[in-house]
Amino acid sequence: MPEVNAVQVASNPHQTLLRLVFGSTGTQVVGAVVRLGLADAIGEGQTAVDGIARHYDIPAERMNRLLRAMVELDLATEPRPGVYSLTEAGHLLRVNHPGSLRHMARLVTDPVTQLPWSRLDSSVRTGRAAFEDVFGRPMFEHFAAHPDLSALYNAAMGEITRGLAVELAECFDFSRFTRVTDVGGGDGTLLTTVLGRHPHLTGVVFDSPSGVAQTLGAVRAAGLDRRCTVTTGDFFEAVPTGSDLYLLKSIVHDWDDERAVTVLRRCGEALGEGGRVLLVEQVLPERPESTEPRDPFLSDLTMLVLYGGRERTRADLVELCTRAGLKITSTATLPAQPGISLMEATAT
């Protein structure tokens, strides 16, 4: 048999297609690992399958099959037969790891996310979020009626916001402002990070009641309860006044154009003299590029399937702001967050 090198395999169209077709298998392995808490059971060092199997009261032979799938997915290694340790990626599935993405992995692999994807073609045909077809109501309404899912969603969003929050707090000039309202601020990860870095600031986390269900505890844990308040409401109706900076991070991509314009308009209406809106959004390239470090066009379909929203190009975002009565005064990017745009705007 002729030798086949890695480059040949990678360029084999059959292998490329089959890797995509069977990609959901890996997704479900990750889901099982998270639901079982298997990464925490393996822990820091090397752990024998027999001990893990006893912990779960599962036959060692069957547990070994799952553990070897983790090895194939680069979540674990098997340094000796029947002995396993986590890779750096595997450690991210542990509960107390500082960079943990456990909640995000749990959310994405849950049926509440996976089932709508089976109707992607319907969403492409109709422009309607498949989530509504599966669960009978929009995603945020469904989560509001299920506090466990809402808490999971808030925690997952907090996990993927941590790195961006640190960089934004370091790179953006907050010295010009005194009070920041984080519109749709969820569990407060972004604003508490900014306030922790800039002690002259006070702030408001503004979101729906389900969106801020865990926020007050996070604010208190950060020692910011005297500088940060938590307020609930509907940002389609009104946004609290009194701040000179309104921060919207990954908010407008959740919505169609009309509702996105409404949110931006409400922020503009809340602005006082010299106030600013800071839009933090992923920018969709004009065309797919193989060198893109993110997957913006897959993210765009995620917005469609789950929310009925969309990712947008820079020109799209400028147009939304213009329709909302806002004028873009500056744009920037975060060095370690490829594809993320900072767009600062004033009321026209």
Side-chain angles (χ1 to χ4, degrees):
M1 177 180 290
E3 183 177 333
V4 179
N5 63 40
V7 175
Q8 289 174 317
V9 171
S11 63
N12 185 313
H14 293 85
Q15 293 295 328
T16 298
L17 179 58
L18 289 175
R19 186 172 62 250
L20 295 172
V21 168
F22 288 105
S24 62
T25 306
T27 300
Q28 296 310 317
V29 170
V30 174
V33 169
V34 172
R35 290 190 295 273
L36 287 169
L38 192 51
D40 288 297
I42 297 172
E44 289 281 356
Q46 299 182 2
T47 305
V49 63
D50 291 340
I52 299 172
R54 283 195 300 272
H55 176 76
Y56 288 102
D57 193 24
I58 294 173
E61 182 275 336
R62 202 181 306 150
M63 178 58 73
N64 208 43
R65 294 166 69 180
L66 180 56
L67 289 166
R68 285 186 167 172
M70 290 180 66
V71 173
E72 186 170 327
L73 294 175
D74 295 325
L75 296 174
T77 63
E78 189 180 7
R80 301 190 307 281
V83 175
Y84 295 89
S85 63
L86 296 173
T87 63
E88 290 185 17
H91 278 292
L92 297 179
L93 297 176
R94 297 180 64 197
V95 174
N96 294 320
H97 189 282
S100 179
L101 293 173
R102 177 176 175 273
H103 291 103
M104 176 55 68
R106 179 69 183 270
L107 176 66
V108 173
T109 61
D110 191 275
V112 77
T113 300
Q114 290 297 306
L115 288 176
W117 272 104
S118 68
R119 302 194 184 191
L120 170 61
D121 53 335
S122 175
S123 285
V124 172
R125 289 178 183 275
T126 66
R128 175 184 171 91
F131 189 99
E132 297 183 34
D133 295 335
V134 174
F135 294 102
R137 54 188 164 187
M139 187 176 185
F140 290 119
E141 288 184 19
H142 185 75
F143 282 9
H146 294 82
D148 56 333
L149 287 176
S150 182
L152 175 61
Y153 180 85
N154 293 338
M157 295 303 106
E159 285 178 347
I160 63 171
T161 297
R162 282 190 306 248
L164 184 149
V166 170
E167 190 172 5
L168 180 67
E170 293 290 336
C171 295
F172 184 73
D173 181 12
F174 285 96
S175 66
R176 299 170 290 157
F177 307 102
T178 60
R179 187 171 179 82
V180 182
T181 292
D182 189 357
V183 180
D187 73 351
T189 296
L190 181 58
L191 188 57
T192 56
T193 302
V194 169
L195 295 184
R197 176 67 178 79
H198 299 279
H200 74 284
L201 288 174
T202 61
V204 179
V205 178
F206 177 66
D207 210 325
S208 66
S210 61
V212 297
Q214 291 79 39
T215 311
L216 190 56
V219 169
R220 288 173 175 165
L224 293 169
D225 45 311
R226 293 189 177 183
R227 292 171 50 209
C228 184
T229 59
V230 179
T231 305
T232 63
D234 181 351
F235 53 38
F236 294 117
E237 297 296 328
V239 171
T241 59
S243 291
D244 50 359
L245 180 64
Y246 287 82
L247 176 59
L248 294 95
K249 183 264 176 189
S250 301
I251 299 299
V252 301
H253 75 164
D254 290 343
W255 309 101
D256 60 32
D257 286 355
E258 292 304 318
R259 286 182 286 185
V261 167
T262 298
V263 176
L264 291 168
R265 183 176 291 120
R266 296 295 174 256
C267 291
E269 292 168 352
L271 286 179
E273 184 71 24
R276 296 288 191 274
V277 172
L278 180 63
L279 194 62
V280 183
E281 287 283 337
Q282 176 166 269
V283 174
L284 199 66
E286 294 295 338
R287 56 182 295 177
E289 298 289 348
S290 60
T291 57
E292 283 294 324
R294 294 160 104 40
D295 298 306
F297 292 93
L298 297 181
S299 177
D300 183 41
L301 289 179
T302 299
M303 294 302 108
L304 172 61
V305 168
L306 298 181
Y307 306 88
R310 62 183 301 174
E311 302 292 2
R312 296 175 173 90
T313 65
R314 188 177 304 277
D316 293 332
L317 292 168
V318 170
E319 181 181 355
L320 289 183
C321 288
T322 301
R323 289 175 56 188
L326 297 173
K327 178 183 178 181
I328 303 297
T329 58
S330 67
T331 62
T333 58
L334 294 175
Q337 303 289 330
I340 299 295
S341 178
L342 309 182
M343 305 182 75
E344 191 176 330
T346 61
T348 56

